Amino acid sequence: MVREKDSSHSNGVPTVTGCTTARRLMQLYSALLYNAHLKGFIEGNIYEGGTKFACVPGLNCYSCPGAIGACPLGSLQNALGSAGHRAGWYVIGILMLYGVLLGRTVCGWLCPVGFVQELLYKIPTLKIAKSRFTRLFSYVKYLILTVFTILIPLWYGLWHDIPMPGFCKFICPAGTLEGAVGLLSNPVNAGMFSMLGALFTGKFIIMLAIGLACVLCYRSFCRFLCPLGALYGLFNHFNVIGVKVDSNLCNHCGKCVQSCHMDVRCVGDSECISCGECVEVCPQKAVAFSLGRGVRVGDTGMKASTRRWGWGVALVVLFVALLGYNIPGNNESTGYETGQHLRDFKIQCLNGKEFHLADTRGKVVFINLWATYCTPCVQELPYFDALYRAHEGDIAMVAVHSSLTTDSPAEYVAKKGWIIPFAVDTEEDLVWAVVNGSSTIPQTIVLNRKGEVIYNQAGSVTAEMLAALYERANQ
Amino acid sequence: MRGSKLYLIIQTALCVLLTVQLAAGAVSLYREGAARRAEHPLEWIYTSEKAAEKFTPIAPIFFVFLCLTAMGMFFTPTQRGAARDRNQSAGAVKNNRALLASHPLQPGKTVRRVRTALIMAAIVLIVAGVLNGSARDVFYKAVKICTECIGLG
């Protein structure tokens, strides 16, 4: 059987050039597949379909307009934040499965953020070499994993019953770049500028700093800050697919470690992202990709035709995804903007009464869209409650929970002792459609005494803003 | 050689300058906007007009940086070895024999057993998660985005 000549593979083992090219293609492929909902960038909204229950292996913010899956890190923090209500077995299981099967091979081959970092590193500037200092600094990501990803969500979830994804909220550059900038860059979302404040400023600066660091130092975020890499790294000793050393051939010359961009102490340790660049460097050919049970990639006898078939199938999957997630739909908005009137609606409240918009004429109306799993939503509700108590006869108010409920809103509200009328939106998202509700919450809508919309924006409000809105509605 | 070194220094300086200017622009926007909001609670801290006003002056520098980067991609030699560990001697690595041996191509029985156990545990947890509703939670939180969770706040 004649093996086809393939310059990207030497003796059946991938060469550096072949490996790098394959890796780049795989990174680009995964970035496109994770963000196949391309029309989200044009329409300025996120994908809300069923595949969002599936966590993608790499870091990809689910608020990206193109994202078709959930972010594993964000999902983990949300699961820990809800630990008081329900154990997050699903996310833990998914992370464990990815960790055991791939470990940090995800970082090297399947992470869009890793891809962006490597592209940034290509910008020609002076570069910072790895050293004992960078190796020491690589332990910071474990601190970030422990504090921001685990402890903060657990603390807030168990002791304060507030969902608080610490890493997503305060640090994650993927969320700022893909989510915040991704949504804000569309003119349709110009109203989102109203939400921006200190938090956005801080995260924007962090994103800039990380971007600069990635230009100057190889994969800075991955090496020093990424808690997902830290988590996957813990599984690197057991992962099925990754770069391993054949101890029978290794002569411990250390060329693999010397040539590596990451802060590895040996091939396959918790810092190794299985990029494969050490495979060709090894003079003993002792380093190879492993598929588990000591099987080297070259040993499978994979012909070039088989690889081409594999890529063909992968491209078909991508093509189908790009078609399927971008089918034009009926996105006609039935909501209203400032100065217009809302369509009349009725909704049953949790206190047994009915909220009928037509009955509120002559009063100032506040409609708030919220969810128990939304941090700023639950933090601002006390302001609404205080305003309602102060002007109970003069204000009509209803706080409508999303139709997607994780815990019982009735039980949640009962524990808080709030007196404002609460409701849960219908399965058809009646109220959401009437007020032009988006996929970002919280959202507040205020009507003046004539029933005209004077405020309809997503983003949290303060007590001062609510007071000012009440004054404006009275004018 | 000196020319390419000078080029790298200029590029690095431009990178740092752009980062600092963008950060300073964001801080300045925030401070001015916060001052406006202190007087009028409904005022926006960030507006697209103010952002354009702050960031437009940076555009020429960014353009120069892009041009130099494009030139550099084609004309300067690839920086191989720039990030190699010069402090790491082969001798130091030889002392890591134990570490090298612990990540072998041929996994031992213990590693295979732990691997199998972890995979089985992962599958059980995923099924348990689907049954107890935590998979549904992942979905809900991925389609109803909390604004502060993505840095909009």
Side-chain angles (χ1 to χ4, degrees), chain A residues 206-442:
Chain A
I206 288 173
M207 183 188 73
L208 290 174
I210 290 174
L212 177 65
C214 292
V215 171
L216 302 178
C217 185
Y218 184 74
R219 279 191 173 237
S220 302
F221 176 72
C222 201
R223 284 158 75 186
F224 309 132
L225 299 175
C226 183
L228 191 59
L231 203 55
Y232 285 149
L234 300 174
F235 291 95
N236 251 15
H237 187 64
F238 306 103
N239 63 343
V240 174
I241 298 171
V243 173
K244 306 285 183 200
V245 177
D246 188 339
S247 47
N248 295 326
L249 299 174
C250 177
N251 65 355
H252 308 289
C253 66
K255 285 197 166 70
C256 49
V257 174
Q258 281 184 298
S259 68
C260 182
H261 286 279
M262 301 294 286
D263 299 285
V264 295
R265 293 183 71 195
C266 69
V267 171
D269 71 2
S270 57
E271 297 301 315
C272 176
I273 59 171
S274 297
C275 65
E277 289 193 17
C278 51
V279 169
E280 180 63 9
V281 165
C282 178
Q284 302 294 113
K285 303 292 179 215
V287 185
F289 276 97
S290 162
L291 300 177
R293 291 191 151 262
V295 176
R296 300 157 69 109
V297 169
D299 292 347
T300 61
M302 201 187 294
K303 296 179 189 173
S305 58
T306 310
R307 284 194 301 277
R308 279 197 283 269
W309 266 108
W311 275 110
V313 168
L315 283 174
V316 166
V317 168
L318 180 63
F319 182 67
V320 168
L322 288 173
L323 269 183
Y325 285 106
N326 294 290
I327 294 171
N330 180 16
N331 293 316
E332 189 187 326
S333 167
T334 57
Y336 294 85
E337 300 301 328
T338 310
Q340 295 180 307
H341 288 82
L342 291 184
R343 179 162 55 92
D344 188 31
F345 69 90
K346 287 185 206 177
I347 191 155
Q348 195 66 30
C349 295
L350 297 176
N351 57 11
K353 296 182 183 167
E354 190 181 68
F355 181 91
H356 186 187
L357 187 64
D359 294 341
T360 63
R361 198 56 72 92
K363 293 186 181 181
V364 178
V365 180
F366 286 81
I367 300 170
N368 180 253
L369 306 182
W370 71 292
T372 53
Y373 42 83
C374 161
T375 315
C377 300
V378 301
Q379 286 179 326
E380 70 176 11
L381 280 171
Y383 305 142
F384 283 89
D385 190 61
L387 183 77
Y388 189 70
R389 286 172 192 270
H391 305 281
E392 194 170 343
D394 197 38
I395 285 179
M397 190 180 284
V398 66
V400 183
H401 190 287
S402 165
S403 57
L404 305 175
T405 56
T406 53
D407 306 301
S408 165
E411 282 176 22
Y412 185 86
V413 164
K415 274 192 287 186
K416 299 293 181 182
W418 294 321
I419 67 168
I420 58 180
F422 284 90
V424 179
D425 204 2
T426 62
E427 274 187 25
E428 297 78 30
D429 289 335
L430 165 71
V431 178
W432 239 259
V434 167
V435 303
N436 202 15
S438 67
S439 48
T440 48
I441 46 176

Side-chain angles (χ1 to χ4, degrees), chain B residues 53-72:
Chain B
E53 200 182 291
K54 285 283 173 201
F55 294 129
T56 305
I58 302 172
I61 305 172
F62 186 64
F63 180 71
V64 168
F65 171 71
L66 276 182
C67 291
L68 284 176
T69 302
M71 271 172 46

Side-chain angles (χ1 to χ4, degrees), chain A residues 46 48-49 52-53 62-63 75 78 82 86-87 89-91 93 96-97 100 121-122 124-127 129-132 135 165 168-169 180 190 193-201 203-205 208 237-240 244-246 252-254 258-259 261 265-269 290 294 296 373 376 402 404-406 432 439-441 457 460 465 469 472, chain B residues 5 7-9 11-12 15-16 19 22-23 26-27 30 37 41-42 44-48 65 69 72-73 76 79 82-90 93-94 96-97 99-100 102-107 111-112 114-115 118-119 121-122 125-126 128-130 132-153:
Chain A
I46 65 167
E48 297 185 41
K52 270 212 152 160
F53 84 93
Y62 42 47
S63 64
S75 301
N78 283 316
S82 305
R86 188 173 14 260
W89 300 132
Y90 175 73
V91 179
M96 207 184 276
L97 192 63
V100 171
Y121 188 70
K122 285 191 170 302
T125 63
L126 296 172
K127 302 296 182 189
K130 70 175 186 179
S131 62
R132 283 175 178 76
R135 182 179 294 163
C168 290
K169 181 170 176 174
F193 274 87
S194 65
M195 296 186 229
L196 306 184
L199 180 63
F200 174 76
T201 308
K203 281 197 82 182
F204 184 70
I205 292 171
L208 290 174
H237 187 64
F238 306 103
N239 63 343
V240 174
K244 306 285 183 200
V245 177
D246 188 339
H252 308 289
C253 66
Q258 281 184 298
S259 68
H261 286 279
R265 293 183 71 195
C266 69
V267 171
D269 71 2
S290 162
R296 300 157 69 109
Y373 42 83
S402 165
L404 305 175
T405 56
T406 53
W432 239 259
S439 48
T440 48
I441 46 176
Q457 279 166 22
S460 54
M465 286 172 73
L469 284 167
R472 185 185 280 187
Chain B
K5 187 85 176 190
Y7 165 78
L8 292 176
I9 291 171
Q11 275 286 89
T12 307
C15 257
V16 174
T19 305
L22 283 168
V27 170
Y30 171 71
R37 182 168 271 192
L42 296 178
W44 293 8
I45 291 177
Y46 281 84
T47 62
S48 46
F65 171 71
T69 302
M73 295 289 205
T76 55
Q79 294 171 127
R84 302 296 184 238
D85 190 344
R86 298 188 189 90
N87 295 329
Q88 182 108 35
S89 67
V93 175
K94 278 184 184 167
N96 289 336
R97 277 173 197 266
L99 281 170
L100 284 165
S102 66
H103 296 86
L105 182 67
Q106 299 88 3
V111 170
R112 287 205 300 269
V114 170
R115 212 184 249 171
L118 284 174
I119 290 173
L125 286 173
I126 290 169
V130 170
N132 84 340
S134 60
R136 184 201 58 203
D137 290 354
V138 166
F139 171 66
Y140 286 173
K141 286 164 193 176
V143 300
K144 278 285 176 272
I145 304 293
C146 139
T147 50
E148 286 189 8
C149 300
I150 56 170
L152 292 177

Side-chain angles (χ1 to χ4, degrees), chain A residues 45-193:
Chain A
N45 56 14
I46 65 167
Y47 178 67
E48 297 185 41
T51 55
K52 270 212 152 160
F53 84 93
C55 292
V56 297
L59 194 64
N60 195 71
C61 188
Y62 42 47
S63 64
C64 177
I68 61 166
C71 175
L73 209 55
S75 301
L76 176 66
Q77 291 166 83
N78 283 316
L80 292 173
S82 305
H85 301 270
R86 188 173 14 260
W89 300 132
Y90 175 73
V91 179
I92 294 170
I94 287 267
L95 284 169
M96 207 184 276
L97 192 63
Y98 287 148
V100 171
L101 290 179
L102 298 163
R104 286 200 83 177
T105 308
V106 171
C107 304
W109 291 73
L110 300 175
C111 183
V113 177
F115 182 43
V116 168
Q117 289 176 82
E118 291 185 11
L119 292 180
L120 286 173
Y121 188 70
K122 285 191 170 302
I123 296 172
T125 63
L126 296 172
K127 302 296 182 189
I128 299 172
K130 70 175 186 179
S131 62
R132 283 175 178 76
F133 174 75
T134 60
R135 182 179 294 163
L136 196 63
F137 203 53
S138 70
Y139 291 108
V140 171
K141 60 180 177 287
Y142 295 98
L143 193 64
I144 292 176
L145 172 67
T146 309
V147 175
F148 286 89
T149 312
I150 296 173
L151 290 180
I152 288 179
L154 268 179
W155 167 261
Y156 275 89
L158 292 175
W159 275 274
H160 299 279
D161 204 19
I162 295 175
M164 179 70 72
F167 179 76
C168 290
K169 181 170 176 174
F170 297 112
I171 300 176
C172 186
T176 313
L177 182 66
E178 294 178 301
V181 175
L183 288 169
L184 289 172
S185 58
N186 194 309
V188 164
N189 297 318
M192 285 189 180
F193 274 87

Side-chain angles (χ1 to χ4, degrees), chain A residues 20-70:
Chain A
T20 306
T21 308
R23 198 163 70 83
R24 285 278 176 272
L25 288 174
M26 186 56 88
Q27 286 174 316
L28 182 63
Y29 177 87
S30 357
L32 277 174
L33 190 60
Y34 297 171
N35 297 289
H37 184 242
L38 297 178
K39 71 172 184 174
F41 292 102
I42 300 165
E43 293 172 355
N45 56 14
I46 65 167
Y47 178 67
E48 297 185 41
T51 55
K52 270 212 152 160
F53 84 93
C55 292
V56 297
L59 194 64
N60 195 71
C61 188
Y62 42 47
S63 64
C64 177
I68 61 166

